[in-house]
Amino acid sequence: MKKTIMTTMLAVAATALTAQNPIVQTWFTPDPAPLVVGDRLYVYTGHDEPGADFFWMNEWRVYSTTDMANWTDHGTPLSLASFSWADDRAWAAQCIERNGKFYWYICAHSKLSGGMAIGVAVGNSPTGPFRDAIGKPLFENGSWDHIDPTVMIDDDGQAWLYWGNPQIYYLKLNEDMISYSGELGKVEMTEEGFGSPAPRFRKKDVKYKDCYTEGPWIEKRGGKYYMLYAAGGVPEHIAYSMSDSPTGPWKYMGEIMPLQDTRSFTNHCGVVEYKGHNYFFYHTGKLPGGGGFGRSSAVEEFKYNADGTYPTINPTDEGVAPIGTLNPFRRVEAETIAFSKGLNTEQNDKKGVYVTNMHNGDYIKVREVVFSSQPKAFSASVASGLHGGTLEVRLDSIKGEKIAEISVPGTGGWENWRTIKTKDIKPVSGKHDVYFVFKGLKGSKLFNFDWWKFND
């Protein structure tokens, strides 16, 4: 029995060291919405509160990568507090760029109408700062249907905004992206289009192919419109429909991500092409403490079928292969992470985002780090209000070769930052995964960590 338990523990540990999904481990990050801006891929997410027994969500978060291995945490540029009319349920959202500005379409409970409403924030960069663009909901009518907006700009410049559960609605946005023309559109939900008719038309004794539930994602490829969505009721899988027009009629095409044990009874997808690769984002409940109300973003790479249709995409723990490297001889934010254990991030106006809540044995893994020459020193910005601890720099595993170490003293406060440097660096060259392993008094919070750098 002891041998079986030990084997299981070793298998779990090995999986943790090779896993890349979920892509963020410091917070729960449901409803991923990817956006490419220049050379960087951003993912806009929600935030499930730890220990929740419902979808208690109060803010939205942003992460980015250039290599699909290491993700930088940009914190919370937008929250319920950003909207004077909103008082609850910061649910799924999506951001899009137009004319150098970034428009973040959100849904939240409105204290004006008592229902869910669609809002829009605007910023001058993909990470903000963002502000409520119009000071009121973009659309609301007191209904609870108005959740999960998705947006696209068509080839002719016309922008379209879709949302809804259990019905898809749409608006034609004006060029300013913060107003619309015409009336609210309503997608005809048919058996041919979505696997079943709208709920009020379904017959109890009929077994339908599928049913649209929520979380639409709109995209256009090769002149065809693709509507991806969570389907099947609860639990949800991901399915899609296609059309020759942004307003339909739609044709049901089948499942993309079939129902599997993701430890979450919901799913929510987003798709993007980045550096010649196609990526499918979704969420699971696989983080420790996660589940149906503690969901986390994950990603898989895929190729469209020859006829433009979607293949079957299955969730994995391994995630996607790296498509770039990291330079250790420039300042790297500590919140740039491939995988981590036991940590959170916080932010303030002075320092931005930093890593916190580390305890003995916690770690940060950074992948694809290229040492083009022998480093002469290692520096880190740290702060501790109590005992401090030790930051070990190891290669390729938690117990890999230790190439550097710094001792972190109490600095007089959790935001009283000090840069600590060591010139005692063991020889290192080539490409490695780098682990920052934190050691100190058991049970105590050790220190905060803002950035690191090797000096050549």
Side-chain angles (χ1 to χ4, degrees):
M1 182 65 177
K2 290 181 179 180
K3 184 176 180 180
T4 301
I5 293 173
M6 182 59 69
T7 301
T8 301
M9 291 175 64
L10 290 172
V12 170
T15 299
L17 291 176
T18 58
Q20 290 298 122
N21 277 329
I23 60 173
V24 174
Q25 306 82 41
T26 50
W27 295 111
F28 295 128
T29 54
D31 306 325
L35 174 68
V36 175
V37 182
D39 189 50
R40 186 169 286 268
L41 170 60
Y42 294 84
V43 176
Y44 298 77
T45 78
H47 175 213
D48 285 337
E49 293 293 335
D53 58 358
F54 186 62
F55 303 108
W56 303 125
M57 303 164 69
N58 305 314
E59 63 194 38
W60 296 271
R61 302 185 65 86
V62 184
Y63 300 86
S64 73
T65 185
T66 58
D67 54 26
M68 295 304 295
N70 303 295
W71 291 87
T72 299
D73 185 339
H74 299 283
T76 300
L78 200 63
S79 72
L80 289 173
S82 306
F83 301 92
S84 61
W85 51 267
D87 61 5
D88 198 3
R89 307 189 187 197
W91 288 357
Q94 185 182 347
C95 188
I96 195 170
E97 179 183 9
R98 185 163 201 171
N99 298 327
K101 292 186 178 294
F102 296 85
Y103 299 91
W104 200 344
Y105 297 90
I106 63 96
C107 65
H109 184 263
S110 170
K111 57 188 176 185
L112 304 179
S113 69
M116 293 297 290
I118 303 299
V120 57
V122 63
N124 291 323
S125 86
T127 57
F130 286 89
R131 60 175 177 82
D132 186 349
I134 56 179
K136 61 181 181 180
L138 177 63
F139 185 89
E140 68 171 339
N141 60 10
S143 170
W144 287 82
D145 293 1
H146 306 310
I147 67 171
D148 302 352
T150 181
V151 61
M152 68 164 289
I153 301 174
D154 211 339
D155 300 333
D156 61 1
Q158 177 62 59
W160 296 88
L161 184 67
Y162 303 79
W163 70 83
N165 172 345
Q167 166 76 49
I168 301 178
Y169 300 92
Y170 63 89
L171 289 174
K172 291 180 68 174
L173 294 173
N174 294 326
E175 190 171 354
D176 63 10
M177 302 296 283
I178 60 174
S179 63
Y180 61 90
S181 58
E183 299 297 321
L184 178 69
K186 194 172 183 180
V187 171
E188 185 180 6
M189 313 297 289
T190 65
E191 188 170 357
E192 181 182 2
F194 294 91
S196 65
R200 67 183 181 278
F201 297 120
R202 293 174 196 163
K203 299 178 181 178
K204 292 183 179 180
D205 57 346
V206 176
K207 183 174 178 59
Y208 295 103
K209 288 184 295 185
D210 212 338
C211 66
Y212 169 86
T213 304
E214 60 186 352
W217 178 271
I218 185 70
E219 67 164 344
K220 187 179 183 182
R221 295 185 68 255
K224 300 287 186 181
Y225 298 85
Y226 296 68
M227 184 71 75
L228 287 66
Y229 46 87
V234 176
E236 296 174 345
H237 57 266
I238 301 295
Y240 76 116
S241 301
M242 292 179 63
S243 176
D244 294 323
S245 162
T247 58
W250 296 89
K251 180 181 179 182
Y252 176 76
M253 301 300 296
E255 298 181 1
I256 298 175
M257 180 168 279
L259 188 63
Q260 298 179 50
D261 182 18
T262 60
R263 302 178 196 169
S264 170
F265 54 84
T266 66
N267 207 340
H268 190 107
C269 72
V271 177
V272 73
E273 182 180 346
Y274 178 57
K275 295 185 177 179
H277 301 259
N278 296 307
Y279 295 107
F280 180 90
F281 288 83
Y282 60 103
H283 68 223
T284 75
K286 289 188 174 182
L287 277 188
F293 303 121
R295 303 155 299 168
S296 299
S297 296
V299 63
E300 309 295 342
E301 186 174 356
F302 73 98
K303 292 183 179 180
Y304 291 94
N305 296 324
D307 61 359
T309 58
Y310 271 88
T312 298
I313 302 173
N314 294 309
T316 71
D317 293 332
E318 292 77 16
V320 303
I323 58 172
T325 58
L326 188 146
N327 178 8
F329 297 112
R330 62 171 179 81
R331 170 173 158 161
V332 180
E333 298 301 313
E335 64 273 13
T336 297
I337 298 170
F339 209 83
S340 66
K341 172 186 173 293
L343 309 170
N344 296 121
T345 57
E346 291 182 358
Q347 66 190 92
N348 60 37
D349 291 340
K350 184 177 180 180
K351 297 297 289 187
V353 181
Y354 56 88
V355 175
T356 187
N357 201 34
M358 59 188 63
H359 293 77
N360 181 61
D362 292 343
Y363 68 87
I364 290 173
K365 172 186 175 182
V366 184
R367 295 186 68 190
E368 306 296 303
V369 181
V370 176
F371 292 91
S372 56
S373 61
Q374 170 61 30
K376 297 182 175 64
F378 172 78
S379 303
S381 176
V382 293
S384 178
L386 289 174
H387 312 288
T390 302
L391 191 163
E392 298 178 348
V393 185
R394 295 181 177 268
L395 298 182
D396 301 319
S397 74
I398 297 172
K399 296 184 178 180
E401 182 184 9
K402 183 168 67 175
I403 61 168
E405 177 180 297
I406 61 172
S407 179
V408 180
T411 63
W414 292 109
E415 295 186 11
N416 188 17
W417 297 92
R418 184 182 301 179
T419 299
I420 299 179
K421 184 176 183 178
T422 178
K423 294 184 178 180
D424 186 11
I425 308 291
K426 289 187 177 180
V428 56
S429 63
K431 184 168 67 177
H432 296 273
D433 292 346
V434 172
Y435 284 75
F436 300 104
V437 183
F438 310 109
K439 298 291 183 66
L441 295 175
K442 293 181 179 180
S444 293
K445 175 181 173 181
L446 301 180
F447 51 90
N448 293 335
F449 186 18
D450 186 37
W451 57 263
W452 59 272
K453 179 182 179 181
F454 283 92
N455 301 96
D456 55 6

